Amino acid sequence: MAWVKAASKPFPNDSRYVAEIWYEIGDQNFQDNTTQVRWELGIRKLSGDGYWDSSKNSYLTSQCYGESYDIPFSYDFTNTSYIAIDSWSWRSVQHSYDGTKSITMWTKFSLTRFGYVEFGYNLTLPTIPRHVAFTPAWNTSLKARRFGYKVSMPSSSHSCNITLRGKTDGTENFWSKSLSKAEEIVAPLSDDQYKKLAESFASVNLKPLTWLVETFINGKSIGTKSYSENIVWDIQYIPPELSYSLIQPTSLHNDLKNEILIGYTKIKVVATSKTQPFQNMWVPSDKWKTALNGIYKNGSSSTHEVTKDSLIIGSQWTDNHQKVSSMAQSVDEKAIPYTRPTVKIEQLKRVNALGNDDLLGTNVFVKATIGFNPLNNKNGIILVQIGIGSYATITTQQLADGHTITNVDINKAHTINIKVADKVTTDNVFSSNISSGSVDLYIGGNGEVGVGMINNKDANSLQVKGQAYQNENDPIKDFFAQPIALTTTINFNDYWKRGIYSLSNTVNANNSSNSPKAGAGFLVVRNLSDYSEIPSPNKTWLYVWQEFENLSGAIYSRHMGTGSGTIPVWSEWRRTDVPIQPADDIEARGPNFIKWSSGDMEQWGTYNLVTAIDKPYGSGYYSGVTANMKFPIAFTSKPNLSVTVEDNFANSVVPYLVSNTGVQIWYVYGLEKHVSSTRLIHWTARGRWK
């Protein structure tokens, strides 16, 4: 460059003379980051006479770029208009890191005759291009895969190394390139490099990435600049493959194994993970849910009931990046509603051996039609059985034409059961009742007589249907029947079916389990219904009474009941043929109680029980009623309670859940069905009051 006047200032005593500062900028060294600069301080005569002074009483003080000088001088302007007082040779000025630099020139002139001036100048040097011009082209979406840049070179001496880095410790360099010319690129990473970058996210959703740009001038590094941005993990987990399988009842026929039956078939939904593009994409095992028709259960597989015919399976998951996703797909197969087979009784009657209608017939004729759900013409009836107790296997056509059950006791009402199995269910039972033979009085040819029934026992015997009474109110007991002899020890709990037994050996009687310990005697067993076909007493609502009379006439009784459970519970034996013997006199008496000083107490009364008798039970009916009857005075423990019922339809009444304060539940039994009515119960309770 040429010399440039930076500044000037006239002297105060003669403005025709001015002090001047000059500078010249030389070459710039890009690699060393320096500029050559020199400057000069002088005095110029603008016009007029040329003065001179050889005394050297004038002086110059100057400072520039860290250098300072004091110079005395003389001057002579007689033959020149400009005198250079101080000229500086070339100086190598070091620029700042960014290539910029400013220097200050400052000077003082004190001249004889002209006076004193002081001034300066701030020189800004041309910036030296230091780093390449780099502009990142970030897209904060990892999925977009756009991590480009634009770079240009300030000079042909420039080059650069570009690196895309993750961790600042230098262990994650995903891409690098050396450039010596300008370049613009959108997506520089290869598939493998992009995969490495994506997997470096691990399970985080935000990761800082940095472009590192190291600039070189003539092969020498002048430093590195960085450009950072946060990149968002937005890559979606590839949905799993959804599949399903049918879980059928084990009893289902093979013809229907591939059908979906509402209420019977279950569907197992399975979500199977697909291969993901990157290793850092997975779903924790406890973050899977699978569903049928929108009902989700935990796990990548789950089993569901089929409740309707439109089926949609689905899955929901939360991946390791805490992103929740879901999918659903329809099941092509249709679910079929299933209904059990039906039986419609066309005819049910007693007939004789010739097949003619006969109210006293010992055969029963049954005619019925069976309906079933065809299930896409794959279902059918595979088994039909009919009988009373034991069953005969017949065909649907035989049942439709009519089937005869032979040797049916006319003295009892019977339940006719028809068992039907189709290809789905095998436990279908349809029951109908056939009444006993209708007879008022029967007289057989061998002297056998039946009242209300046909006597099919021994010659010259009498059979009465129901309970027989003497003197209108006293039941006729069956002590006159021939008892069954028991010749060894027994367990009294095993005798719960109707019967009369004798134990003639005192030792055997006393050593028997659950014995009343009363010596030899007779055991009478009664119950509410005929349990002859039941193999064990483990049956709900089963009641039994035992009465034992020894050879001395002492009578002991106890009872057993299962209630709503199936475990028999026996009461303790108690003697019933003698009244309670008080230890001393009566202590208190009321209209419905007596207290003895010994602690014994007896109470009595009536209770109006309102109930219907309408639930089938054996050959009759019953009802169970929750009706808390309270004793007027509470006993100290559960008393012995005896009850009778005064009613035209109720034959007997049984208290249940008896406590020291009263009765919670009553069971009423009758031979005929009857609407709700008031039943009058008479009761007597014996126990202790202290």
Side-chain angles (χ1 to χ4, degrees):
M1 293 179 63
W3 283 96
V4 176
K5 182 171 69 173
S8 64
K9 190 171 185 177
F11 285 92
N13 296 336
D14 191 341
S15 60
R16 293 176 302 164
Y17 289 83
V18 296
E20 295 179 342
I21 300 174
W22 290 79
Y23 70 87
E24 183 178 11
I25 297 175
D27 295 335
Q28 289 187 313
N29 189 320
F30 287 177
Q31 180 173 323
D32 294 337
N33 196 25
T34 60
T35 300
Q36 297 296 311
V37 181
R38 62 180 179 175
W39 50 91
E40 184 177 276
L41 306 175
I43 302 172
R44 186 176 301 278
K45 182 185 71 169
L46 299 178
S47 64
D49 299 329
Y51 296 106
W52 59 272
D53 182 359
S54 61
S55 65
K56 290 190 177 183
N57 289 326
S58 299
Y59 67 89
L60 167 69
T61 299
S62 64
Q63 291 181 343
C64 186
Y65 192 52
E67 300 180 35
S68 61
Y69 298 94
D70 292 318
I71 303 173
F73 64 90
S74 61
Y75 59 86
D76 183 0
F77 286 100
T78 57
N79 293 314
T80 182
S81 62
Y82 178 78
I83 299 173
I85 305 301
D86 187 14
S87 294
W88 299 41
S89 62
W90 289 105
R91 299 290 196 271
S92 181
V93 178
Q94 184 71 44
H95 284 237
S96 300
Y97 176 79
D98 60 358
T100 62
K101 185 62 179 178
S102 295
I103 59 175
T104 299
M105 303 174 184
W106 173 81
T107 185
K108 298 177 184 178
F109 282 91
S110 180
L111 269 73
T112 58
R113 189 179 184 91
F114 299 132
Y116 172 84
V117 294
E118 180 180 353
F119 65 102
Y121 177 73
N122 187 59
L123 172 62
T124 299
L125 299 177
T127 299
I128 297 176
R130 292 293 291 154
H131 292 273
V132 298
F134 183 88
T135 304
W138 292 114
N139 187 318
T140 57
S141 163
L142 176 63
K143 182 180 179 180
R145 194 175 170 174
R146 297 172 68 90
F147 311 108
Y149 57 82
K150 180 179 181 181
V151 64
S152 60
M153 302 296 171
S155 70
S156 60
S157 300
H158 279 76
S159 62
C160 65
N161 287 342
I162 303 174
T163 302
L164 181 61
R165 176 172 291 180
K167 293 181 179 180
T168 57
D169 61 4
T171 58
E172 285 184 348
N173 291 338
F174 304 114
W175 181 91
S176 62
K177 187 175 183 180
S178 297
L179 292 176
S180 58
K181 60 181 180 179
E183 181 178 74
E184 184 174 2
I185 191 167
V186 175
L189 274 65
S190 67
D191 290 345
D192 288 342
Q193 291 167 337
Y194 179 66
K195 183 174 186 293
K196 181 180 178 182
L197 168 61
E199 291 177 353
S200 73
F201 273 70
S203 295
V204 301
N205 291 324
L206 193 69
K207 182 181 179 71
L209 293 184
T210 301
W211 280 118
L212 297 175
V213 183
E214 185 179 12
T215 300
F216 297 85
I217 300 178
N218 293 323
K220 182 179 180 181
S221 174
I222 63 170
T224 301
K225 283 189 174 184
S226 62
Y227 308 83
S228 297
E229 185 62 82
N230 287 323
I231 307 301
V232 177
W233 175 275
D234 57 354
I235 299 175
Q236 293 296 318
Y237 185 88
I238 297 177
E241 180 179 344
L242 277 181
S243 61
Y244 69 92
S245 59
L246 307 184
I247 300 177
Q248 303 286 19
T250 55
S251 59
L252 191 68
H253 195 278
N254 285 334
D255 292 348
L256 294 167
K257 291 294 185 183
N258 295 324
E259 298 294 332
I260 302 177
L261 306 181
I262 296 176
Y264 288 84
T265 302
K266 296 180 180 179
I267 287 185
K268 182 178 182 181
V269 181
V270 178
T272 304
S273 299
K274 292 182 178 179
T275 301
Q276 301 298 313
F278 306 114
Q279 293 181 0
N280 62 322
M281 298 178 66
W282 71 85
V283 174
S285 58
D286 61 342
K287 297 299 183 181
W288 283 105
K289 290 184 178 181
T290 41
L292 177 65
N293 293 333
I295 299 176
Y296 282 89
K297 295 183 179 181
N298 292 329
S300 58
S301 67
S302 57
T303 301
H304 303 262
E305 302 279 353
V306 177
T307 59
K308 62 180 184 179
D309 61 355
S310 180
L311 303 177
I312 298 175
I313 59 176
S315 179
Q316 186 182 89
W317 62 92
T318 302
D319 65 20
N320 60 307
H321 292 275
Q322 303 305 310
K323 296 185 182 298
V324 180
S325 304
S326 62
M327 66 176 298
Q329 66 186 48
S330 298
V331 174
D332 294 335
E333 302 176 74
K334 295 294 183 181
I336 308 172
Y338 169 77
T339 54
R340 287 176 175 265
T342 60
V343 173
K344 181 181 180 182
I345 302 295
E346 306 289 349
Q347 294 185 44
L348 178 61
K349 58 186 178 179
R350 285 186 178 273
V351 297
N352 57 26
L354 298 177
N356 299 321
D357 293 359
D358 189 345
L359 294 177
L360 299 179
T362 58
N363 297 338
V364 174
F365 179 79
V366 184
K367 182 178 182 180
T369 55
I370 298 176
F372 65 93
N373 191 330
L375 302 178
N376 294 334
N377 296 321
K378 293 183 179 181
N379 193 19
I381 302 301
I382 59 176
L383 179 66
V384 179
Q385 292 181 313
I386 188 170
I388 305 172
S390 61
Y391 295 89
T393 300
I394 61 175
T395 65
T396 54
Q397 188 59 50
Q398 288 173 326
L399 185 61
D401 294 338
H403 175 74
T404 299
I405 304 173
T406 60
N407 299 320
V408 180
D409 188 351
I410 65 170
N411 293 316
K412 297 181 180 179
H414 297 276
T415 299
I416 311 298
N417 291 323
I418 301 175
K419 296 182 177 181
V420 178
D422 64 1
K423 294 180 180 180
V424 181
T425 56
T426 59
D427 58 347
N428 306 292
V429 179
F430 304 89
S431 301
S432 299
N433 294 323
I434 187 73
S435 63
S436 61
S438 177
V439 59
D440 295 325
L441 179 65
Y442 172 82
I443 301 176
N446 297 313
E448 61 272 28
V449 177
V451 178
M453 62 182 296
I454 294 177
N455 185 347
N456 54 11
K457 299 295 184 181
D458 299 331
N460 301 312
S461 64
L462 171 66
Q463 276 192 294
V464 179
K465 183 176 183 180
Q467 177 67 58
Y469 293 83
Q470 59 185 359
N471 298 327
E472 295 182 352
N473 294 321
D474 297 331
I476 300 175
K477 298 183 179 180
D478 49 359
F479 281 103
F480 304 104
Q482 181 65 37
I484 299 172
L486 303 175
T487 59
T488 62
T489 57
I490 65 168
N491 184 347
F492 276 71
N493 288 359
D494 293 337
Y495 290 82
W496 51 273
K497 295 183 179 181
R498 293 175 181 173
I500 304 175
Y501 307 90
S502 65
L503 287 89
S504 58
N505 186 291
T506 296
V507 175
N508 286 343
N510 289 340
N511 290 337
S512 293
S513 299
N514 301 299
S515 164
K517 310 298 183 183
F522 296 90
L523 174 66
V524 180
V525 182
R526 294 184 174 86
N527 41 42
L528 289 178
S529 182
D530 181 9
Y531 300 143
S532 59
E533 295 180 357
I534 300 176
S536 72
N538 302 103
K539 179 183 184 300
T540 56
W541 312 118
L542 184 147
Y543 290 94
V544 177
W545 290 265
Q546 285 184 349
E547 190 172 77
F548 185 82
E549 183 173 353
N550 68 10
L551 300 182
S552 300
I555 300 174
Y556 300 82
S557 70
R558 68 171 185 161
H559 63 275
M560 179 270 281
T562 59
S564 60
T566 58
I567 299 176
V569 179
W570 288 93
S571 68
E572 298 294 329
W573 287 101
R574 65 183 180 89
R575 188 170 178 179
T576 60
D577 61 314
V578 294
I580 296 175
Q581 299 297 320
D584 44 12
D585 297 332
I586 293 174
E587 184 167 309
R589 183 190 298 271
N592 54 3
F593 75 93
I594 297 175
K595 287 183 179 181
W596 283 274
S597 299
S598 63
D600 294 322
M601 179 171 65
E602 181 177 352
Q603 300 184 71
W604 58 89
T606 60
Y607 182 71
N608 289 321
L609 182 65
V610 179
T611 181
I613 307 175
D614 55 1
K615 295 181 177 61
Y617 182 83
S619 59
Y621 297 86
Y622 85 102
S623 68
V625 184
T626 300
N628 291 322
M629 185 201 83
K630 298 295 184 181
F631 299 132
I633 303 172
F635 292 91
T636 59
S637 60
K638 178 180 174 182
N640 292 319
L641 180 66
S642 60
V643 296
T644 59
V645 60
E646 184 179 338
D647 189 76
N648 292 331
F649 295 93
N651 289 12
S652 61
V653 62
V654 177
Y656 184 65
L657 294 182
V658 180
S659 68
N660 65 312
T661 60
V663 181
Q664 294 187 35
I665 298 176
W666 299 89
Y667 288 94
V668 183
Y669 297 85
L671 295 177
E672 298 180 11
K673 188 175 183 179
H674 191 244
V675 297
S676 180
S677 180
T678 301
R679 326 288 177 181
L680 181 61
I681 296 174
H682 298 269
W683 59 270
T684 301
R686 292 178 183 269
R688 297 189 63 82
W689 64 275
K690 68 176 182 176

